[in-house]
């Protein structure tokens, strides 16, 4: 190997491509350093050093990750392609050895020209023999491969042995690894030897491929293309000594021996293996049986994972990953305690019911983490085919197991935590009732021997911990609901939302947006304003989106203004989120006649409703406006009937109701409203208007009214009281029978408000009127 003085020039590292001297080819560059190296080369002598990476997947290779030998090329042409890609046409000039590689903007190589060693002490007759030998091998290679006639002629007309070696290297489509090996040859003798070996290998491979094709053609009809492909595989297996289905069956039998499963399952698999052998390897039935055997072998019949039974560790994980959700955490810890006492026991079947965004699905993942269980999630939203749950019978083409068995198969153990998400949104049609199929799955007495239509063997689901989620339990059939332990996941209080935002949502979004703690500070008042005036929801999904919007704006501000940190406060929050979306419904400043504040439950939390009543001379008509539902209209009619029945006690004339029209209106007329809980509110507003007595502005109330003036209990009390507190109410009237519900709530919800428990309308009016 002859080396000369050191040279310095721009360098480009190539992936999966080697360029040889005298080769004319093109390559694409997109990496910034490579593009700048090409541009620098154009300014100089259009010379560029090309060296190949050892690993094509590395983006910025170091010196050790490059080959030593490369090629100095001359740039002939550059074409700009879309997406900032340059296509460079080059001609290889000579081989060079890489000495050093440096440079910040682009790579600059220090190299030494390295010419190949000539043939030494070789007589002319020897050279001629080698020349003819290489030509013969190359001609034979060209006969078996599609090489252009012009190229073959050009190579064959090479005058000397060295020139022939170079032409064969350049024009033979070797892999880049082989080309690099040739490039790194010490001299022509070594290169000649490597070239002959490579060409002979390629010739043998091509001849062997043709022999397989010839055998296949002798066996089958040319028109049966699909059959030809199968026969090719068969011939290949014969050449390799593979015995076909027999070897596959033997592999299945070894898997059965290692399988942890009841004897019944093993006997069934053995029977199916025998059928597989009898069916032959190419029949359609064999592929069906193969799929069935593989499914049975994949199922974890008796394979379990070890549960984490440490109560303290489990509690710590649950508290760390979720704020609130006390009932859910308590039930999980009770399950763990029972497991420890019994050293076993049945897994519970829980159903978390609550509004969207309250953490039902995410707490399931935390429970799996806390208990060290495998986690499987099956979304049932929109599923309306029974076969999705129970699987398809094997008589159908493309049959597969149901989602339950497939989930167990994915988990790899028989005791995972399986989340059946959105169970209230399951549908039914002519293909079967999906809810009915779930009855067996979610019954701890029946699911020990759950039969999937595809598997046809009893699968034990008794150790699976099922956790279902739903937004509305009313759409779940009663028999199914009866099999589950329902845990209400109610709306978050504002304090809970604040804690969740501070401890979980803000750190999570800052991490997703590449922000450090020092780069973004959002103070507590800003988060409170975000909760009050930018979101109105039971959960925290909308709040998380608002926090994400603040993080995006902060990213942009830091980059554009070169700021080191961004501080978001209550005052500058509008700069990041725009004008406030919701105005809090504060209580009225003065006591008014015919206006009463009621409490309502919505799917996104509680709200306050201002009920207005006007009296007009008329014929005794009752007008109801504000998109009131049937139940609400009936409540208003029950209220007016009660008032008429006690009108004598208030000194009203007998014909008063025949001479006056009553108009009840609930603002936000575009929003549909329904339910019986505004009964006492509408009755109080009507009586206030009739008697012209003002109602206290700081009073809110909720409860159903009867014709005799009794006050009946209502639901959604937590959300309603949160709304009352948010509106600044001092006194809240609720039914006496809801007393136990109020006592279960924390002081955070009821603190600062006086609670009045009413049995009759007289008690309501006593506290409501000024």
């Amino acid at each position: 190997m002859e080396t000369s003085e050191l040279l310095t020039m721009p360098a480009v590292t190539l992936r999966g491509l080697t360029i040889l001297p005298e080769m004319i080819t093109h390559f694409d560059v997109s990496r910034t350093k490579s593009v700048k190296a090409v541009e620098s080369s154009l300014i100089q002598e259009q010379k560029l050093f090309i060296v190949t990476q050892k690993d094509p997947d590395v983006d910025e290779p170091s010196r050790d990750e490059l080959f030593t030998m490369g090629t100095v090329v001359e740039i002939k042409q550059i074409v700009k392609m879309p997406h900032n890609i340059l296509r460079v046409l080059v001609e290889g000039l000579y081989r060079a050895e890489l000495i050093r590689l440096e440079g910040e903007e682009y790579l600059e190589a220090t190299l030494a020209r390295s010419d190949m060693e000539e043939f030494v002490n070789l007589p002319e007759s020897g050279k001629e023999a080698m020349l003819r030998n290489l030509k013969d091998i190359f001609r034979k290679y060209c006969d078996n491969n599609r090489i252009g006639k012009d190229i073959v002629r050009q190579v064959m007309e090479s005058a000397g042995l060295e020139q022939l070696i170079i032409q064969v290297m350049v024009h033979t489509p070797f892999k880049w690894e082989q080309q690099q090996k040739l490039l790194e040859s010490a001299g022509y003798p070594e290169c000649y030897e490597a070239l002959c070996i490579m060409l002979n290998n390629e010739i043998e491979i091509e001849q062997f491929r043709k022999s397989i094709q010839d055998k296949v053609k002798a066996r089958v009809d040319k028109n049966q293309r699909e059959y030809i492909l199968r026969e090719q595989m068969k011939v290949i297996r014969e050449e390799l000594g593979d015995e076909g289905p027999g070897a596959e069956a033997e592999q299945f039998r070894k898997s059965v021996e290692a399988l942890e499963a009841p004897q019944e399952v093993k006997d069934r698999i053995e029977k199916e293996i025998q059928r597989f052998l009898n069916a032959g390897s190419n029949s359609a039935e064999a592929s069906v049986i193969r799929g069935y055997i593989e499914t049975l072998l994949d199922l974890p019949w008796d394979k379990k994972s070890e549960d984490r039974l440490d109560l303290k560790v489990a509690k710590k994980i649950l508290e760390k990953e979720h704020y609130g959700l006390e009932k859910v955490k308590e039930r999980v810890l009770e399950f763990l305690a029972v497991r420890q006492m019994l050293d076993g026991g049945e897994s519970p079947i829980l159903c978390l019911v609550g509004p969207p965004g309250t953490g039902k699905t995410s707490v399931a993942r935390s429970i799996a983490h806390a208990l060290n269980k495998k986690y499987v999630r099956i979304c049932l939203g929109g599923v309306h085919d029974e076969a999705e749950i129970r699987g398809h019978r094997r008589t159908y083409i493309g049959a597969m197991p149901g989602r339950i068995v497939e989930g167990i198969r994915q988990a790899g153990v028989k005791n995972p935590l399986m989340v059946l998400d959105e169970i209230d949104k399951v549908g039914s049609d002519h293909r079967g009732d999906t809810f009915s199929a779930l009855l067996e799955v979610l019954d701890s007495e029946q699911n020990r021997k759950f039969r999937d239509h595809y598997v046809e063997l009893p699968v034990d689901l008794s150790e699976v911990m099922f956790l279902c989620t739903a937004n509305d339990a009313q759409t779940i059939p009663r028999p199914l609901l009866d099999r589950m332990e329902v845990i209400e996941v109610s709306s978050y209080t504002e304090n809970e939302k604040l804690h969740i935002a501070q401890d979980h949502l803000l750190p999570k979004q800052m991490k997703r947006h590449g922000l450090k703690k020092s780069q973004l500070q959002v103070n507590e008042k800003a988060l409170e304003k975000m909760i009050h005036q930018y979101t109105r929801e039971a959960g925290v999904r909308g709040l998380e989106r608002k926090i994400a919007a603040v993080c995006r704006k902060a990213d942009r501000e830091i980059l554009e203004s070169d700021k080191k940190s961004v501080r978001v406060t209550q005052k500058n929050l509008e700069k990041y989120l725009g004008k406030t979306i919701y105005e809090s419904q504060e209580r009225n400043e003065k006591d008014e006649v015919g206006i009463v504040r009621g409490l309502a439950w919505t799917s996104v939390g509680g709200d306050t409703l201002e009920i207005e009543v006007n009296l007009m001379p008329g014929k005794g008509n009752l007008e109801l406006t504000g998109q009131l539902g049937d139940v609400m209209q009936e409540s208003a009619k029950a209220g007016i009937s009660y008032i008429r029945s006690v009108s004598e006690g208030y000194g009203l004339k007998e014909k008063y109701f025949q001479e006056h029209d009553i108009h009840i209106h609930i603002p936000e007329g575009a929003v549909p409203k329904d339910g019986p809980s505004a009964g006492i509110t509408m009755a109080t507003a009507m009586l206030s208007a009739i008697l012209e007595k003002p109602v206290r502005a700081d009073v809110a109330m909720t409860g159903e009214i009867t014709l005799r003036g009794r006050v009946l209990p209502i639901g959604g009390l937590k959300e309603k009281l949160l709304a009352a507190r948010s509106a600044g109410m001092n006194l809240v009237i609720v039914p006496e029978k809801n007393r136990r519900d109020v006592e279960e709530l924390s002081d955070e919800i009821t603190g600062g408000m006086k609670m009045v428990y009413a049995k009759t309308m007289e008690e309501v009016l006593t506290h409501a009127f000024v």
Side-chain angles (χ1 to χ4, degrees):
M1 189 185 299
E2 296 177 11
T3 57
S4 57
E5 73 277 0
L6 298 181
L7 302 169
T8 304
M9 66 178 68
V12 170
T13 60
L14 294 186
R15 294 190 268 203
L17 178 65
T18 299
I19 295 177
L20 301 170
E22 297 193 25
M23 181 185 281
I24 297 175
T25 186
H26 64 77
F27 57 85
D28 295 344
V29 291
S30 59
R31 289 183 282 192
T32 308
K33 283 189 175 183
S34 300
V35 171
K36 287 188 175 179
V38 171
E39 290 170 351
S40 175
S41 171
L42 290 172
I43 296 168
Q44 299 172 25
E45 299 176 347
Q46 297 190 341
K47 298 283 196 305
L48 193 64
F49 180 63
I50 302 296
V51 63
T52 306
Q53 295 178 199
K54 293 178 182 177
D55 183 358
D57 295 329
V58 177
D59 279 334
E60 292 192 11
S62 63
R63 170 66 185 83
D64 295 336
E65 292 170 319
L66 301 173
F67 287 105
T68 306
M69 285 296 177
T71 306
V72 174
V73 301
E74 184 179 1
I75 297 174
K76 295 293 185 183
Q77 186 183 32
I78 292 179
V79 179
K80 286 192 176 181
M81 306 293 286
H83 309 297
N84 298 324
I85 294 173
L86 292 182
R87 180 157 289 175
V88 186
L89 180 70
V90 297
E91 180 183 0
L93 298 178
Y94 54 83
R95 187 175 75 163
E97 182 182 356
L98 179 60
I99 308 298
R100 274 193 313 277
L101 198 63
E102 52 198 6
E104 290 295 326
E105 280 193 39
Y106 61 86
L107 296 177
E108 194 163 24
T110 302
L111 50 98
R113 179 165 180 164
S114 176
D115 293 325
M116 284 194 177
E117 293 174 0
E118 303 285 340
F119 289 98
V120 182
N121 301 324
L122 185 68
E124 286 300 319
S125 56
K127 280 189 177 182
E128 184 63 27
M130 291 173 76
L131 183 92
R132 291 181 186 181
N133 179 50
L134 185 54
K135 283 185 177 181
D136 288 343
I137 295 170
F138 183 71
R139 191 180 291 110
K140 197 182 291 184
Y141 172 82
C142 293
D143 291 341
N144 290 312
N145 293 273
R146 294 178 179 176
I147 304 290
K149 290 181 180 179
D150 293 338
I151 292 173
V152 176
R153 189 183 308 111
Q154 183 182 336
V155 173
M156 290 301 176
E157 287 173 357
S158 300
L161 179 57
E162 289 86 353
Q163 184 63 26
L164 178 65
I165 291 170
I166 290 170
Q167 289 296 315
V168 172
M169 280 168 58
V170 169
H171 293 295
T172 307
F174 291 126
K175 292 179 181 177
W176 69 269
E177 294 94 339
Q178 294 172 306
Q179 289 179 326
Q180 185 66 37
K181 186 180 176 183
L182 294 171
L183 185 66
E184 293 190 343
S185 301
Y188 284 111
E190 186 183 329
C191 185
Y192 177 87
E193 188 179 337
L195 204 54
C196 290
I197 291 168
M198 288 178 191
L199 287 170
N200 279 320
N201 280 343
E202 293 293 329
I203 292 166
E204 283 182 21
I205 290 166
E206 188 60 27
Q207 286 176 343
F208 188 70
R209 190 183 68 82
K210 283 189 175 182
S211 71
I212 292 174
Q213 281 187 336
D214 292 341
K215 288 179 184 178
V216 172
K217 285 179 182 177
R219 295 184 186 192
V220 297
D221 188 348
K222 290 179 183 179
N223 297 326
Q224 295 175 326
R225 184 174 178 278
E226 187 180 345
Y227 190 61
I228 288 174
L229 293 172
R230 280 202 294 268
E231 285 298 311
Q232 279 184 331
M233 289 173 65
K234 191 172 180 179
V235 172
I236 290 167
R237 274 203 294 268
E238 285 178 6
E239 294 290 340
L240 294 172
D242 192 346
E243 297 174 10
E248 209 169 349
E250 190 58 40
Q251 190 62 44
F252 286 149
R253 287 196 171 103
K254 285 180 184 176
S255 300
V256 172
E257 287 174 16
L259 187 67
E260 297 176 35
Q263 192 58 42
E264 177 190 0
V265 175
K266 292 186 175 184
D267 292 344
R268 180 61 179 270
I269 298 174
E270 185 56 47
K271 185 179 175 183
E272 292 296 327
I273 291 171
Q274 200 55 49
R275 285 184 62 209
F276 174 68
L277 285 169
N278 296 337
S281 62
N282 292 329
S283 68
E285 188 184 0
S287 62
V288 172
I289 298 169
R290 184 189 289 109
Y292 180 60
I293 294 170
E294 286 171 352
T295 301
L296 294 185
L297 289 172
D298 285 346
L299 285 174
W301 298 97
D302 287 335
K303 189 180 175 185
K304 293 185 192 178
S305 63
E306 285 294 322
D307 289 353
R308 183 189 282 120
L309 298 177
D310 191 326
L311 281 166
K312 289 182 181 177
V313 175
K315 186 177 181 181
K316 188 178 177 183
I317 291 170
L318 289 171
E319 292 294 344
K320 181 185 174 185
E321 296 186 0
H322 278 81
Y323 185 88
L325 303 173
E326 298 303 330
K327 287 183 181 177
V328 183
K329 293 175 183 175
E330 190 179 332
R331 183 64 186 87
V332 172
L333 294 173
E334 286 169 4
F335 158 69
L336 269 183
V338 173
R339 267 287 163 94
Q340 280 196 36
M341 297 293 284
L342 281 177
D343 194 23
E346 288 183 353
S347 293
I349 297 170
L350 307 177
C351 182
L352 307 183
V353 178
T358 48
K360 298 182 295 296
T361 306
S362 63
V363 80
R365 191 181 287 277
S366 289
I367 292 169
H369 181 203
L371 303 182
N372 197 31
K373 282 183 174 287
K374 294 284 187 181
Y375 174 82
V376 180
R377 178 177 168 271
I378 298 171
C379 186
L380 297 177
V383 172
H384 48 74
D385 187 355
E386 182 203 358
E388 292 272 0
I389 306 299
R390 284 189 174 277
H392 305 82
R393 298 191 185 278
R394 283 198 293 144
T395 49
Y396 296 109
I397 294 170
M400 61 178 77
R403 291 195 183 194
I404 303 294
V405 169
E406 190 58 40
I408 297 282
R409 182 180 177 181
Q410 286 173 12
V413 289
K414 65 182 288 190
N415 61 336
L417 184 142
M418 188 173 287
V419 178
L420 302 179
D421 218 356
E422 310 291 359
I423 197 169
D424 57 327
K425 296 174 184 65
V426 170
S428 301
D429 61 8
H430 63 280
R431 285 172 285 191
D433 184 1
T434 315
F435 276 125
S436 300
L438 285 168
L439 288 175
E440 184 185 355
V441 175
L442 298 177
D443 190 330
S444 55
E445 296 300 320
Q446 296 181 44
N447 65 11
R448 291 177 183 281
K449 292 187 179 292
F450 172 70
R451 281 190 178 268
D452 185 274
H453 289 158
Y454 182 83
V455 175
E456 295 177 351
L457 287 165
V459 179
D460 184 6
L461 301 179
S462 62
E463 294 187 50
V464 176
M465 184 174 179
F466 286 103
L467 200 150
C468 310
T469 72
N471 296 130
D472 185 6
Q474 292 180 355
T475 58
I476 303 173
R478 193 74 209 168
L480 186 60
L481 201 61
D482 187 53
R483 284 163 164 77
M484 301 186 286
E485 185 178 337
V486 177
I487 298 176
E488 292 281 346
V489 180
S490 54
S491 309
Y492 289 121
T493 65
E494 288 176 357
N495 188 40
E496 284 173 336
K497 286 184 181 180
L498 183 62
H499 279 292
I500 291 166
Q502 286 175 326
D503 300 342
H504 300 283
L505 303 184
L506 186 57
K508 174 182 167 186
Q509 289 301 328
M510 284 174 69
K511 188 178 178 183
R512 283 189 179 177
H513 291 82
L515 290 163
K516 297 173 184 173
K517 280 187 180 179
S518 60
Q519 290 178 305
L520 176 65
Q521 287 96 35
V522 182
N523 69 15
E524 194 171 301
K525 292 288 183 186
L527 288 172
E528 285 177 1
K529 186 175 180 181
M530 230 182 274
I531 293 163
H532 280 297
Q533 298 183 350
Y534 287 92
T535 61
R536 184 154 292 176
E537 55 180 347
V540 289
R541 283 202 185 116
L543 178 59
E544 187 172 8
R545 282 193 283 270
K546 293 298 175 189
I547 291 171
V550 170
C551 291
R552 290 196 300 273
K553 297 273 195 308
D555 274 341
R556 186 177 169 189
E557 194 171 326
I558 287 168
L559 292 172
E560 288 183 349
S561 308
D562 291 331
K563 283 188 177 181
K564 289 187 178 178
S565 68
V566 172
R567 183 172 173 78
V568 181
T569 63
Q570 187 180 9
K571 291 180 180 177
N572 69 357
L573 186 60
E574 288 191 10
K575 174 185 170 185
Y576 298 96
L577 294 180
K579 295 292 181 185
T580 55
I581 301 169
Y582 303 103
E583 293 299 326
S584 53
Q585 294 186 342
E586 299 293 336
R587 71 185 190 201
N588 296 339
E589 292 181 4
K590 62 177 183 176
D591 307 330
E592 295 187 54
V593 173
I595 294 180
V596 185
R597 190 65 70 102
L599 299 174
W601 179 93
T602 70
S603 61
V604 293
D607 202 358
T608 60
L609 293 176
E610 202 169 62
I611 295 177
E612 300 175 347
V613 174
N614 266 358
L615 285 179
M616 300 150 287
K619 298 179 180 178
N621 294 328
L622 178 64
E623 187 75 28
L624 299 164
T625 56
Q627 271 218 64
L628 310 188
D630 292 341
V631 177
M632 207 166 188
Q633 290 184 30
E634 288 168 5
S635 291
K637 290 171 186 174
I640 193 67
S641 296
Y642 162 73
I643 293 169
R644 291 179 68 174
S645 70
V646 297
S647 59
E648 286 183 18
Y650 293 104
L652 297 173
K653 295 177 184 178
E654 285 186 16
K655 293 188 177 180
Y656 181 88
F657 292 98
Q658 283 81 25
E659 295 170 352
H660 291 84
D661 288 348
I662 299 175
H663 186 160
I664 301 174
H665 176 69
I666 302 179
E668 295 187 34
V671 181
K673 307 163 193 79
D674 207 356
S677 64
I680 65 170
T681 318
M682 290 190 285
T684 304
M686 285 188 283
L687 198 55
S688 167
I690 291 166
L691 301 178
E692 296 185 358
K693 277 191 176 184
V695 178
R696 286 174 58 180
D698 64 344
V699 170
M701 59 184 73
T702 180
E704 183 177 350
I705 189 174
T706 69
L707 287 174
R708 300 299 174 91
R710 288 183 296 123
V711 180
L712 301 184
I714 42 77
L717 206 56
K718 180 183 176 183
E719 287 79 5
K720 290 177 179 179
L721 291 179
L722 280 170
R725 181 169 178 174
S726 177
M729 295 297 167
N730 294 330
L731 188 143
V732 180
I733 302 170
V734 297
E736 171 66 37
K737 290 183 179 178
N738 282 115
R739 184 189 288 266
R740 64 179 185 275
D741 300 321
V742 176
E743 287 171 353
E744 284 181 8
L745 300 174
S746 65
D747 289 339
E748 185 193 328
I749 297 167
T750 58
M753 295 190 297
K754 184 183 175 185
M755 307 301 298
V756 172
Y757 302 100
K759 292 182 182 176
T760 62
M761 270 303 295
E762 285 86 353
E763 293 175 27
V764 174
L765 298 171
T766 302
H767 291 91
F769 286 152
V770 175

